Each structure stands twice: as structure tokens, then as C-alpha cells.
Amino acid sequence: MDFYFKEFEYRKPPEPVPHSMSRELLYQYLATCNLTLGIWYLWWRWTYALNYEAMWFSLPLAFAESCAFIGSMLFTFNLWKTKDEPRREPPHKIAECVHETDEDRPISVDVFFPTYDEEPDLVRLSILDAQKIRYPHDIEMKIFILDDGKRPAMEALAAEMGVEYITREGNVGFKAGNLRNALEQTYGDFIVICDADTRPFPTILEHTLGYFRDPDVAWVQTPQWFFDLPEGERLPHWLGKKMGGFGRLIGRGVERLYGPVTLGEDPFVNDPQMFYDVIQRRRNWVNASFCCGAGSIHRREAVMEAALRAYSEQISKEHDEVERQIRKLTKEKTVDKDISNNLRQEILFDTEFTPYKFHVSEDIYTSIVLHSDTERTWRSIQHPQVESKMLSPQDLQTWTVQRFKYSGGSIDIFMNDNPLFRKGMTLKQKLMYGASFWSNLSAIWNIIFLACPIIYFLTSIAPVSAYDTTFYLHFLPFVLTAELAMMIGTWGVAGYKGKTNFLSFFPVNLRALWTVLRGRKISFPTTPKERQSGTFFKMIIPQFTVFVLSLFSMCFAWVGYASGAYGSYSFGGLVLNSFWIINNMMAMWGMIAAAFWSPPTDKEQEQGSEELEYGI
């Protein structure tokens, strides 16, 4: 089978951004200034700058700014410092990885490839790369295809490639259930979890198993890298397809003034470098980097031990709850001992043992269980170097399915099993998890940020007491130091696209929040590995509506101000809200363009290369 990503096989992953103490200190200084100015600004907003004649408008914006500032404080804490775990020599024997043992044998590793409906030829590529994994010492490595699709073609593939094949009768627990079933039938000391499209590099074990020399290290997460991200089209080529030679001429003119302009480059903002190289990596210093599934290496002992403890806690919790209900009904102070014992036996029979939580976000759930273990100080490590390559969503529908699962899973944990109230975690760990969960609630205040400039332009009612000098003296220092701190704190990893993408994400985020609030389960659909055909305008109607309303309202307000025919706009208010609404429109436009994006054909790519090479 000839896959679309064949032409990208030559690509190499980016190196981890090197740590700089001077840059870190500068960030800490700027971030401290920004938080101080933010507190000053919000104090002024709530005490002096509310528009008491339009509290219906002013209060929601002040609320949104306060919620966003809480997120900024949590994000600042996340980025505060870097403490990479020193890489250690790969261990020779299992005795070097545990506290006490009489065993003197080579380490055993199981490599899991859970699959459901992916193409066998796609899984074949992953297995071929897994078979190239090297290790400097004797090691027992077994590769397993965990087929929840129960397909003869996949079983034949396993036999052909000389790897193990595991399936099961049902699909209870989906991926988590698939992993649990495999754990019951395998024995490796360490488990490498891959997705069906995860293609590990030969160095993945020799670069990561050394961390497990510390017997308290439960898992190591490696960065996920999408090697198939679209490179985009240069503006002259893109305009040339639409307008011919005249379009190419305009494109070259724009590039001479502005510099190279590329359209369709990573249209879905899938590049995960910001998340792994900045956010996750900075969590190492408080032992709070969490598992993200594919590309992670787990200590079997840690997974099973934590699961047993969680299993015991769950049974005790259910037992206590049922006894409480019995006492309430019978008005008795205690429950008969025989009844209590029988009750516990029934709960034991009905409760499944789940090493990986049956949840759409089983990876982060497992991380929470391990980090909150009160009897073992399990550690997690974010390894900075990319050790595998994966496929990215290639269309808006696939992207939406994936993001809905991520957002819904996080919100469900936040609402129903919030780690902030769990025993066993340190305050710093809780703050790190809190940052992740808080960000998934942001659609609530992002809606307000999107609506406010539109309301101002259409009504000329200001959400603040006045857009005067006092306002700008409080607002601009806060905003400017926030941008400077972000630029320094992210080490040069581009963040603007991620911020605008996050803003345009609001419909999916709201749907996930509403699903959880209604008590519905977040579904477990597998992420398609091939591009879905067609365009997806129906999926971006909310973003398109915001874009059109924003453009119309801005034009409406400026015409009213210039003509004096209507409205009581101030020039300062128009300028500020114009910058604000243009930023919102750019965020919406990115999602709108993604809905209509399609990869260029081979013929178009060749033509574009020739045009740019010869300056046509």
C-alpha cells in the first residue's frame, strides 16, 4: 500500500531546545513583573474601572479577565524552571533497576501496538521499525500486536513478521481494556506503549531505560513528533493556482516587502513541540509530567502496584457508600458484620481490576493514580529527545475527534475525580495538574473575549468606565510584559499559532464541557490515519459566524465614528478593540482555512517547486 507520507520519510525530528540559565532567570524576572502588574490591573478593574451603567457587559468581561489571569498564574508556575533528568547508562541487568532482588538476569521489555481498525500495512511499518530497536546489552524484547479488531489479516501479519498476537472476545474498556488484557498475558519488566502508527527509533530503549536505574521511576514519556506535517505552499504558487501569472506577480511583490509567506503550513497546528519541549519538560522539577500514551515506557511493577491500591480504594469507597445508605434506610448505627462481609464480596465480584483506567484519557488517569500513591514516591520523567515518529490528523474532522477526546477526558477527570482533592500529591503537583484542567475550561471565558469587541462596535457601549489614559497605563504594561515573558519563557518555540488555535477551539471545548455536565460518557473513537475526503464547512460555522460578525461590526463602528451618524465611540476604544477583534479574526480564519485545506497533488508540488526555483 502506497501511503501519502512516503515522501516525508527523510525528515528528521528537531533537537531539544538547549537550556539557558540566563534566559530562565530573565523569564522569571519578566513573569514576576507580569503577575504583579496583572494583580494591579485586576484590582483597578474591579474597584475603579467597571462601567456601572452597563454591568451586564462590564462584569462578564472582568470575570473573563480574572479567569484568564488564573490560567496565566498556573502557566507561569508551569514554565518557572527547568530541571532535566540526567541521562544514565543503560542498565545491564534487572537488579540495577529495583530496590532488592536476587535475580541476575537480562531486562525484559514488551512493546505493545494496540490496534482496532488501522490498515495492516500501516502497522507493518511500525513493527519493522520496532524490530530495529537496539540495546548495548543482552535484553529480552518481545513485540505484541494487540488487535481489538480480531482481524485474520492482522493475525497473519503477526505470524509473517514473527511477533506476538493478542486479541480478546469483547472490547470492554477500549484501549485501556486492550492494554489490561495484554498485561495479563505478558511478563516484561518494562512496557513500551505505541499507537498503531508509532514508529520507534532504534535508540528508544538505550536512551530511556537508564532512567529506571532509580527504582522509583514509574514511567518515562518521550516527545511525540509528527513527521508528516504539511510544509505548505509559498504565496506566489498559491496565488498562481487561483489567478494565473497575475497572481504569481502579486505574490512575489508581497514577499519582497514582507519576506517569505507560506500558506497551509501545519494548518491544524499539530506540531507538539510547545507541549513536550516546553510545558511537559518544565514539569520535571516538581515530578508532575504526565503520561501521554504513545511513546511512553512503563515499569510493570509500578502500573500493577498502583492499580492494586486503586482497586482496593475503589472497593472500600463503594462499600462505605452502600453501608451509609443501609444505615440511612434502617436507622441503625452499624451494619451487621455478616451483611457487611457479604456486601464486600459482591462488590469484589462486580468490580473489575483495571491497571489502565477504563477512561478516554487512560494515560493521564494512570499518571494521577501513580503520582498520588501514598505508599510509594513514584516518579515520572519527560525525556527531552524525540524517540519515535507518528502521523498527524490530516483533516478537520479527524482533528476535531482527537481534540474532543482530549478535552472531554480532562474535563471529566476534573469534574468527577479531581486530583486537586486527592491525597498523596504535593501542592506543586496539584498546581501542575490544575493548569492542564483549567485550560480545558477556557472556552467559558474565551466566548466572552470573542463577543466583547463585537458588542462594543455594534452598541458603542464600553465594558470599562472609559478608554482613557488611566486605562492604558494599567492595561498596556500588563499585556506587554505578558508577551515578553511568553517569548522568553518558550525558548523561541513559536507560540502564537497555538494561542490563536486555542481561541478558535471554543466550539469543541464547549461541546466537551456540555457532554460531561450532562453526565454523558466521552466516546472512544479511534483517530483515523488517512485523510477524510471533502470539505468541512459545517464544522466551522461557529468560527465563520464570529469572523463575519467581527468584520461587519468593526466596519460598522468605524463608519459611524467617521461620519458621526451614530454611536458615541472614542478613538482610543476603536483602536484597542480593532486590534482585539483582528486577533480574534485571525484565530477564526486559521480554523476556517483548515476546513478547506487539502494537500497539494504531486503535479502541483512539482509545478510549484519549478516556479519558485526559476522565479516564474
Side-chain angles (χ1 to χ4, degrees):
M1 190 171 187
D2 194 15
F3 290 104
Y4 74 90
F5 51 81
K6 183 178 180 181
E7 61 180 300
F8 306 130
E9 293 289 343
Y10 68 91
R11 290 180 177 174
K12 302 296 181 184
E15 289 295 323
V17 179
H19 174 243
S20 167
M21 181 55 70
S22 59
R23 185 170 50 202
E24 184 173 285
L25 292 173
L26 178 59
Y27 168 71
Q28 292 174 354
Y29 170 74
L30 290 171
T32 302
C33 291
N34 174 247
L35 294 182
T36 303
L37 290 168
I39 294 170
W40 179 55
Y41 169 73
L42 286 176
W43 173 79
W44 174 78
R45 276 285 284 118
W46 282 100
T47 55
Y48 294 99
L50 292 175
N51 184 351
Y52 291 101
E53 295 180 359
M55 293 296 279
W56 59 271
F57 187 17
S58 192
L59 279 177
L61 180 57
F63 164 78
E65 289 177 301
S66 301
C67 289
F69 183 68
I70 292 172
S72 295
M73 290 193 296
L74 292 170
F75 192 64
T76 297
F77 179 71
N78 192 147
L79 302 192
W80 189 250
K81 64 183 293 186
T82 304
K83 187 180 179 182
D84 289 330
E85 185 77 13
R87 191 189 297 175
R88 302 171 69 176
E89 288 295 317
H92 290 70
K93 305 284 186 179
I94 187 59
E96 300 171 55
C97 301
V98 296
H99 281 295
E100 294 181 7
T101 182
D102 295 328
E103 292 186 284
D104 184 26
R105 59 172 176 79
I107 292 168
S108 60
V109 177
D110 295 332
V111 184
F112 288 168
F113 286 94
T115 177
Y116 177 65
D117 58 1
E118 294 83 0
E119 289 286 341
D121 283 342
L122 179 68
V123 180
R124 179 193 301 274
L125 295 174
S126 301
I127 300 298
L128 283 171
D129 282 352
Q131 290 175 330
K132 297 175 185 176
I133 293 175
R134 62 176 182 259
Y135 197 71
H137 314 299
D138 289 340
I139 190 170
E140 181 185 344
M141 188 182 77
K142 291 184 178 181
I143 300 170
F144 295 85
I145 296 177
L146 314 181
D147 182 24
D148 253 6
K150 297 177 281 292
R151 293 162 291 173
M154 197 62 75
E155 186 174 9
L157 174 67
E160 174 193 338
M161 304 196 72
V163 300
E164 305 291 331
Y165 177 81
I166 296 177
T167 189
R168 55 185 179 141
E169 288 300 319
N171 298 110
V172 176
F174 299 90
K175 181 180 177 181
N178 197 0
L179 291 172
R180 184 193 70 171
N181 180 63
L183 282 171
E184 292 173 348
Q185 303 180 51
T186 58
Y187 307 95
D189 302 309
F190 300 100
I191 303 155
V192 181
I193 295 181
C194 302
D195 284 342
D197 64 316
T198 304
R199 296 169 61 183
F201 294 162
T203 56
I204 187 169
L205 292 183
E206 63 178 304
H207 284 175
T208 60
L209 287 188
Y211 295 120
F212 291 99
R213 284 179 175 271
D214 179 349
D216 290 330
V217 170
W219 79 89
V220 175
Q221 178 66 53
T222 66
Q224 296 179 1
W225 173 59
F226 301 126
F227 74 102
D228 63 336
L229 293 179
E231 294 178 310
E233 297 177 87
R234 289 280 293 278
L235 184 62
H237 178 222
W238 188 83
L239 287 176
K241 290 195 304 182
K242 308 293 182 183
M243 305 165 61
F246 180 66
R248 287 192 292 273
L249 183 64
I250 293 175
R252 288 200 299 271
V254 170
E255 288 200 334
R256 283 174 183 170
L257 292 173
Y258 184 77
V261 178
T262 304
L263 303 175
E265 182 182 19
D266 189 12
F268 310 107
V269 196
N270 283 318
D271 188 351
Q273 187 178 15
M274 172 67 76
F275 178 71
Y276 288 101
D277 208 1
V278 177
I279 296 174
Q280 274 275 79
R281 187 174 167 190
R282 306 284 181 89
R283 296 185 174 198
N284 277 337
W285 73 281
V286 297
N287 185 29
S289 65
F290 57 80
C291 174
C292 301
S296 57
I297 301 92
H298 299 234
R299 184 190 296 269
R300 180 185 292 268
E301 173 197 359
V303 173
M304 299 303 289
E305 188 175 307
L308 283 168
R309 192 161 290 118
Y311 179 65
S312 174
E313 290 173 358
Q314 181 181 352
I315 290 170
S316 297
K317 183 179 178 180
E318 292 185 20
H319 180 260
D320 292 344
E321 176 60 25
V322 175
E323 281 201 349
R324 186 188 66 80
Q325 294 176 9
I326 292 174
R327 290 196 303 271
K328 185 177 179 180
L329 289 171
T330 62
K331 308 299 183 182
E332 298 288 341
K333 292 184 179 180
T334 59
V335 177
D336 183 80
K337 187 175 181 180
D338 290 336
I339 294 175
S340 180
N341 290 335
N342 289 335
L343 179 63
R344 181 175 290 274
Q345 290 298 320
E346 288 184 16
I347 294 174
L348 277 168
F349 182 77
D350 291 337
T351 304
E352 290 198 76
F353 176 68
T354 54
Y356 290 97
K357 186 78 172 182
F358 288 2
H359 193 270
V360 70
S361 295
E362 84 285 339
D363 41 17
I364 190 171
Y365 222 131
T366 301
S367 303
I368 291 170
V369 170
L370 287 162
H371 277 146
S372 61
D373 193 325
T374 56
E375 296 186 26
R376 285 290 299 267
T377 54
W378 290 118
R379 296 180 58 217
S380 63
I381 292 173
Q382 174 63 47
H383 176 64
Q385 187 172 335
V386 175
E387 300 291 352
S388 63
K389 60 184 181 182
M390 302 175 64
L391 300 178
S392 65
Q394 288 289 298
D395 59 84
L396 191 63
Q397 180 176 318
T398 303
W399 180 91
T400 301
V401 167
Q402 188 182 79
R403 296 306 169 97
F404 178 74
K405 287 164 59 179
Y406 292 163
S407 180
S410 295
I411 293 171
D412 183 70
I413 295 172
F414 179 80
M415 294 293 186
N416 298 312
D417 197 4
N418 197 320
L420 301 182
F421 304 111
R422 270 179 170 261
K423 295 180 180 179
M425 280 194 193
T426 65
L427 176 61
K428 292 178 180 178
Q429 287 176 317
K430 290 180 177 181
L431 288 173
M432 290 294 192
Y433 277 105
S436 297
F437 296 131
W438 189 257
S439 67
N440 281 287
L441 301 175
S442 64
I444 299 170
W445 46 93
N446 279 344
I447 285 287
I448 300 172
F449 288 137
L450 291 170
C452 277
I454 296 174
I455 295 171
Y456 172 75
F457 281 145
L458 293 178
T459 66
S460 75
I461 298 173
V464 295
S465 55
Y467 287 115
D468 54 12
T469 303
T470 304
F471 171 79
Y472 284 104
L473 285 175
H474 285 82
F475 177 73
L476 288 179
F478 169 51
V479 171
L480 292 175
T481 53
E483 291 302 315
L484 286 173
M486 184 71 174
M487 289 169 57
I488 300 299
T490 55
W491 296 349
V493 178
Y496 179 74
K497 281 188 176 181
K499 288 193 295 183
T500 56
N501 180 264
F502 196 67
L503 187 61
S504 65
F505 177 56
F506 75 93
V508 179
N509 197 218
L510 281 176
R511 184 162 64 90
L513 178 60
W514 180 237
T515 301
V516 174
L517 289 176
R518 288 188 298 163
R520 303 284 182 86
K521 292 291 185 183
I522 302 297
S523 58
F524 287 78
T526 56
T527 304
K529 304 305 179 187
E530 296 182 0
R531 175 177 164 77
Q532 307 301 295
S533 60
T535 57
F536 305 95
F537 177 73
K538 289 183 179 179
M539 302 184 71
I540 50 90
I541 289 176
Q543 292 92 337
F544 181 77
T545 303
V546 170
F547 183 90
V548 172
L549 280 175
S550 298
L551 181 61
F552 169 78
S553 64
M554 183 170 60
C555 295
F556 177 84
W558 278 103
V559 169
Y561 176 77
S563 64
Y566 51 83
S568 55
Y569 303 100
S570 67
F571 181 74
L574 285 173
V575 170
L576 174 69
N577 282 276
S578 292
F579 276 108
W580 184 357
I581 212 165
I582 288 171
N583 179 74
N584 291 349
M585 289 168 63
M586 291 175 66
M588 299 305 110
W589 178 254
M591 190 65 73
I592 293 168
F596 294 94
W597 176 84
S598 60
T601 63
D602 294 340
K603 184 177 180 180
E604 288 174 336
Q605 288 178 332
E606 291 173 7
Q607 180 185 352
S609 300
E610 291 173 1
E611 289 174 353
L612 292 174
E613 182 178 353
Y614 293 104
I616 298 175

